[in-house]
């Protein structure tokens, strides 16, 4: 049958692919669908196990839109294990502290140095431009021997022998490939997830994110700053080795953004923050242009895998960005997937074990990020109560 343009094979042949003993990674192959942060990270970790790795990416070039990313120590410790931290630290910034303020009054609610957290994990807290992270991951994936095919869009997936057979449109022609394991790292609108028959849809959060990269000003803060306000909030931090500031402004919007991102209307941003502190408004005035992203997440999924197919990153657990953990969790997925396949060999059972480790943690973070939306945007009395709690107990109210 067909689901969303993807061929779904019958249960009998799916069962055939679900059987089969574990295979040695060094004589196995993986097809990864999607060359985002998650897909590239998985390409690197699976190549290190010895698998032959192909990555199919529908876009014509590996490129990220201009925006920043917070990379917490739970992710950077894996990037360090992969030998990528030196390259990343050349383009990233180590922010000094998390600075939480009420965006209307500029009243300081909490100020916490990142040092202790980084020391606990033995890895740094970093902020980086997404394009810079993607460049490092793409170069490392290519160096490791991943075969990255651009302009290649997955069309169908079906069991074939003891593995899977995938078909993609590559420009005007169709190509086919067999693999022992298929990883859907194809983002929040994943077609691999459709193949698994889960029947879930991304949930629009009635919020959008306006993002901008602003040339550095002399008074720019070395901190990650979080400004909370009624129905909106703003996050800023330095990127591009400290030569620019990333700004993310979250505002309510009932009309969904249908594409992943679109040019943002600056007047809407200025209107949403009209009553905010002059310092916040001055920052937004400096933005040369905004991109607008619709915010979508998924309900936690009941399963990620079937037979020799599994999910990773946003395809498995797209989350609202209010804990800044989406990319970090994709990197964790890639690390854990390789750990489990290295230990168990390549088999459906190994994919189930990977999923069993990852699902509870990512579900907790998905729900925590939703909860934060409510706390960040409180109005009236709730806002005053929240501010008092953060002042008294620190920002732990806002963490997972
Ligand atoms: P994606 O980046 O979506 O990549 C999927 C890839 O698959 C794409 O390249 C796509 O073209 C490709 N693809 C899709 N379908 C097909 C197909 N059929 N065939 C071939 N290729 C296909 N995370 C953090 O850790 N820290 C942050 O500070 C942070 N801030 C954020 C702020 C905002 C406003 C938003 C929206 C998100 C933020 N995130 C953050 C989350 C993070 O951006 C995502 O979790 C992360 O990019 C997911 O990576 P991914 O590789 O799983 O998916």
């Amino acid at each position: 049958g067909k689901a969303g343009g993807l061929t779904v094979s019958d249960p009998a042949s799916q069962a055939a692919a679900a059987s089969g003993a574990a295979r040695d990674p060094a004589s196995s192959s993986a097809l990864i669908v999607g060359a985002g942060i998650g897909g590239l990270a998985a390409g690197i970790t699976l190549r290190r196990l010895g698998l032959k790795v192909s990555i199919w990416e529908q876009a014509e070039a590996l490129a990220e839109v201009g925006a920043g990313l917070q990379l917490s120590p739970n992710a950077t410790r894996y990037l360090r294990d992969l030998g990528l931290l030196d390259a990343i630290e050349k383009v990233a910034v180590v922010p000094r502290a998390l600075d939480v303020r009420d965006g209307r009054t500029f009243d300081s609610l909490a100020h916490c140095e990142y040092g202790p957290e980084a020391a606990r994990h033995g890895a740094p807290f970093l902020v980086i431009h997404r394009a810079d992270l993607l460049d490092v991951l793409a170069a490392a994936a290519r160096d490791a021997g991943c075969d990255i095919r651009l302009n290649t869009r997955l069309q169908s997936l079906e069991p074939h022998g003891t593995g899977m057979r995938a078909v993609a449109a590559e420009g005007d022609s169709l190509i086919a490939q067999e693999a022992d394991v298929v990883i859907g790292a194809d983002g929040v609108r994943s077609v691999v997830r459709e193949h698994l028959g889960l029947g879930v849809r991304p949930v629009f959060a009635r919020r959008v994110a306006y993002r901008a990269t602003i040339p550095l000003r002399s008074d720019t803060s070395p901190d990650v700053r979080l400004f909370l306000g009624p129905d909106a909030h703003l996050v800023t931090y330095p990127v591009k080795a400290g030569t620019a500031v990333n700004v993310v402004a979250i505002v309510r919007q009932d009309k969904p953004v249908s594409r992943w991102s679109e040019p943002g209307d600056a007047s809407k941003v200025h209107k949403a923050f009209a009553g905010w502190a002059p310092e916040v408004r001055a920052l937004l005035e400096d933005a040369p242009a905004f991109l607008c992203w619709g915010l979508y997440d998924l309900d936690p999924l009941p399963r990620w895998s079937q037979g020799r197919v599994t999910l990773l990153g946003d395809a498995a657990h797209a989350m609202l960005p209010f804990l800044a953990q989406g990319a970090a969790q994709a990197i964790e997925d890639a690390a854990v997937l390789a750990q489990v396949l290295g230990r168990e060999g390549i088999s459906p059972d190994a994919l189930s074990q990977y999923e069993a480790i990852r699902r509870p943690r990512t579900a907790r973070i998905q729900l925590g990020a939703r909860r934060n939306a409510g706390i960040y945007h409180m109005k009236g009395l709730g806002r005053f109560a929240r501010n008092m709690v953060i002042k008294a107990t620190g920002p732990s109210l806002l963490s997972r």
Side-chain angles (χ1 to χ4, degrees):
K2 279 241 164 194
L6 189 81
T7 310
V8 177
S9 59
D10 62 282
S13 45
Q14 289 187 0
S19 66
R23 288 184 55 157
D24 178 8
S27 59
S28 301
S29 58
L31 171 65
I32 298 172
V33 184
I37 293 166
L40 291 171
I44 299 164
T45 62
L46 294 185
R47 272 301 296 149
R48 281 162 66 103
L49 275 188
L51 280 100
K52 193 167 165 284
V53 175
S54 305
I55 308 180
W56 285 357
E57 168 57 51
Q58 64 184 4
E60 280 167 19
L62 292 185
E64 275 279 357
V65 295
L69 201 65
Q70 302 177 49
L71 273 182
S72 44
N74 57 306
T76 57
R77 58 178 276 233
Y78 288 120
L79 296 169
R80 185 197 51 206
D81 290 350
L82 295 174
L84 303 180
L85 203 51
D86 285 348
I88 287 172
E89 282 180 323
K90 287 203 180 86
V91 281
V93 176
V94 183
R96 191 182 56 186
L98 172 66
D99 187 55
V100 186
R101 289 171 187 269
D102 185 291
R104 292 203 159 223
T105 60
F106 211 62
D107 190 13
S108 173
L109 305 181
H111 187 89
C112 307
E113 308 271 330
Y114 284 117
E117 193 196 350
R120 194 166 66 245
H121 289 271
F125 190 104
L126 299 175
V127 285
I128 189 169
H129 196 276
R130 303 170 68 95
D132 291 341
L133 176 62
L134 207 80
D135 284 351
V136 171
L137 291 174
R142 287 199 169 103
D143 287 350
C146 295
D147 174 29
I148 304 177
R149 298 187 80 123
L150 301 175
N151 201 11
T152 303
R153 182 177 168 77
L154 178 73
Q155 301 264 314
S156 71
L157 204 52
E158 52 192 39
H160 180 87
T162 59
M164 299 295 294
R165 182 170 187 272
V167 175
E170 190 180 44
D172 291 336
S173 48
L174 288 180
I175 60 162
Q177 185 162 328
E178 287 154 29
D180 296 308
V181 63
V182 174
I183 318 289
D186 49 347
V188 61
R189 297 187 174 88
S190 167
V191 290
V192 177
R193 192 177 63 231
E194 273 178 34
H195 167 84
L196 295 176
L198 290 164
V200 287
R201 299 206 157 272
V203 183
F204 179 57
R206 295 176 173 272
R207 290 190 170 86
V208 296
Y210 287 94
R211 311 215 270 195
T213 307
I214 302 177
L216 199 63
R217 304 187 316 177
S218 56
D219 59 348
T220 301
S221 166
D223 299 332
V224 175
R225 301 180 104 181
L226 170 61
F227 298 100
L228 306 178
D231 255 352
H233 77 271
L234 195 103
V235 182
T236 75
Y237 47 84
V239 288
K240 293 268 161 207
T243 62
V245 186
N246 177 71
V247 173
V248 188
I250 309 285
V251 301
R252 274 200 84 86
Q253 180 177 304
D254 288 335
K255 188 171 142 286
V257 174
S258 54
R259 287 187 301 155
W260 184 222
S261 67
E262 57 189 39
D265 178 351
S267 69
K268 283 192 185 163
V269 184
H270 297 311
K271 197 169 154 228
F273 292 89
W276 287 48
E279 293 87 343
V280 175
R281 282 185 288 130
L283 194 74
L284 292 170
E285 292 291 344
D286 281 346
F290 289 95
L291 266 182
C292 178
W293 296 54
L295 295 188
Y296 290 84
D297 72 353
L298 293 173
D299 292 324
L301 302 182
R303 62 184 166 85
W304 294 359
S305 313
Q306 182 167 29
R308 293 175 174 272
V309 181
T310 195
L311 302 173
L312 178 149
D314 277 10
H317 49 65
M319 55 185 71
L320 298 179
F322 308 146
L323 283 169
Q325 275 296 311
Q329 291 307 309
I331 292 166
E332 282 190 9
D333 288 343
V336 172
L337 178 66
Q339 278 166 12
V340 175
L341 295 184
R343 192 178 66 221
E344 304 292 330
I346 310 300
S347 71
D349 183 54
L351 297 184
S352 303
Q353 290 189 38
Y354 149 74
E355 157 186 340
I357 295 171
R358 295 299 299 154
R359 244 176 351 100
R361 173 164 166 78
T362 52
R364 201 165 59 239
I365 300 173
Q366 283 174 292
L367 299 177
R370 280 187 183 171
R371 169 180 159 271
N372 262 13
I375 299 173
Y376 280 19
H377 302 144
M378 281 177 163
K379 301 178 200 173
L381 281 177
R383 172 181 161 216
F384 287 104
R386 174 203 63 205
N387 288 359
M388 279 171 63
V389 170
I390 298 176
K391 272 190 185 176
T393 63
S396 59
L397 179 70
L398 306 174
S399 60
R400 55 190 183 283

